[in-house]
Amino acid sequence: MTAMTELLTTIEAVRDAADSARARGARVGLVPTMGYLHEGHRSLLRAAAAECDFVIATIFVNPLQFGPSEDLDRYPRDLDADLAACRAEGVHVVFAPSVEEMYPSAPPATTVHVARLTERMCGAHRPGHFDGVTTVVAKLFAITGSCRAYFGRKDAQQLAVIAQMARDLDFPVEVVGCPLVREADGLALSSRNAYLTPAERAVAPNLFRALDDARASVATGDVDAARIVAFVRSRIEAEPRFTIDYVECVDPDTLEPVARIDRPALLALAARLGATRLIDNMVVAPDPPTANP
Ligand code: AMP
């Protein structure tokens, strides 16, 4: 599908575009990204185009969500390729602001902090990361106004945090979670996969395989979360190139650890492979799931 895709760089222009779309009766869809779009991002754009009349994709490498020793400077960027992908997916507006447009006074005086959900998992390993995410997404929600906003389950903790923020702050935004998209060999698609050397790329799907084998174990009756986590850790550690940040088995909504997997649980992990930090997750469930009381 082709659409007229407009590249906008100012907050005012995007706000006007969203307001005019709604005034015409259009349902607005928002897809926030950091660009270098791949099939995972494109699946969000397609979901938005299927369910909304006017799709806004944002491309902004948000400095606020990177720690001082993280990869902000080398994060991959290719605006021309991103525009072509957005055009092909029927996106109406690409919002690609400068850092100055988003943060005229850097760092901003006001930030958004979601408590509890951000304390574990990636939040424990990347101090300040989720405050950066929620601050930029709150701004994008405020700029766009009433809309459906699409986020991938690849970043399961991020999705839970943003959904909580939208509820707590009464944003007129329906947060929509979309399925995690993988390569044919199971590796979760990520812009950061571009950092992997060929040797690292060859072992990167081990993360998926560890999760998938754990999923099979849970489905056949091993519902002890500590044992499942230990199993995943040992499968990953069998390849010495990996350093595990965390492996956790948590409730998919509250992200609180579960001890017994008697209903669907989120098995989530982060691991470093050379200089690249990878995350992955899978929902695991006993088969058949124990009925809720
Ligand atoms: P990012 O550009 O990494 O900030 O990601 C932008 C959006 O795309 C987020 O909502 C991500 O969860 C989503 N996304 C990234 N990779 C994938 C994937 N492999 N499958 C599904 N969604 C993804």
Side-chain angles (χ1 to χ4, degrees):
M1 181 185 168
T2 51
M4 287 297 292
T5 304
E6 203 177 358
L7 173 62
L8 300 178
T9 56
T10 68
I11 290 169
E12 195 188 355
V14 175
R15 181 172 280 143
D16 285 351
D19 284 347
S20 329
R22 275 186 301 269
R24 295 194 302 271
R27 181 141 79 157
V28 175
L30 176 69
V31 183
T33 82
M34 297 205 299
Y36 211 68
L37 302 182
H38 52 62
E39 194 51 34
H41 299 112
R42 291 181 70 143
S43 72
L44 306 188
L45 297 175
R46 279 198 288 277
E51 295 171 7
C52 305
D53 313 295
F54 190 80
V55 178
I56 302 174
T58 73
I59 296 176
F60 180 60
V61 181
N62 173 33
L64 229 53
Q65 69 188 70
F66 288 78
S69 59
E70 292 186 355
D71 56 343
L72 174 62
D73 292 338
R74 66 182 186 126
Y75 196 84
R77 297 160 208 244
D78 188 344
L79 184 59
D80 288 341
D82 290 348
L83 286 173
C86 287
R87 240 175 252 126
E89 299 298 350
V91 169
H92 299 85
V93 162
V94 172
F95 178 39
S98 65
V99 172
E100 295 70 33
E101 178 72 7
M102 290 298 273
Y103 303 119
S105 65
T110 304
T111 58
V112 178
H113 175 69
V114 174
R116 296 192 287 279
L117 285 175
T118 58
E119 282 158 19
R120 314 184 57 83
M121 300 160 65
C122 286
H125 290 268
R126 302 183 69 188
H129 167 68
F130 283 116
D131 289 0
V133 169
T134 43
T135 299
V136 78
V137 172
K139 284 173 69 75
L140 294 173
F141 285 180
I143 293 164
T144 307
S146 177
C147 66
R148 281 165 75 87
Y150 294 80
F151 295 89
R153 295 191 185 282
K154 152 97 188 315
D155 300 86
Q157 186 174 18
Q158 172 174 279
L159 172 61
V161 168
I162 289 169
Q164 183 76 48
M165 175 189 79
R167 284 195 299 274
D168 287 349
L169 297 183
D170 302 305
F171 281 108
V173 174
E174 196 180 330
V175 174
V176 182
C178 298
L180 195 165
V181 179
R182 300 182 179 280
E183 300 279 7
D185 62 7
L187 176 63
L189 289 181
S190 165
S191 306
R192 289 191 168 99
N193 292 349
Y195 299 151
L196 299 173
T197 65
E200 289 165 351
R201 175 63 188 81
V203 297
N206 290 10
L207 300 178
F208 161 75
R209 288 184 202 121
L211 290 172
D212 199 45
D213 288 349
R215 184 195 53 71
S217 288
V218 176
T220 54
D222 192 351
V223 296
D224 183 295
R227 209 161 51 217
I228 290 296
V229 165
F231 168 78
V232 172
R233 293 190 78 100
S234 71
R235 285 291 308 271
I236 296 170
E237 283 164 349
E239 164 53 61
R241 285 189 177 87
F242 284 109
T243 311
I244 294 174
D245 265 5
Y246 67 85
V247 179
E248 293 209 36
C249 188
V250 298
D251 178 279
D253 299 315
T254 66
L255 306 183
E256 289 297 322
V258 301
R260 217 183 119 72
I261 309 169
D262 50 11
R263 70 194 75 173
L266 181 73
L267 192 54
L269 61 82
R272 289 161 206 280
L273 180 52
T276 308
R277 185 175 187 275
L278 299 174
I279 59 172
D280 203 342
N281 69 78
M282 202 174 281
V283 173
V284 297
D287 186 28
T290 312
N292 284 330

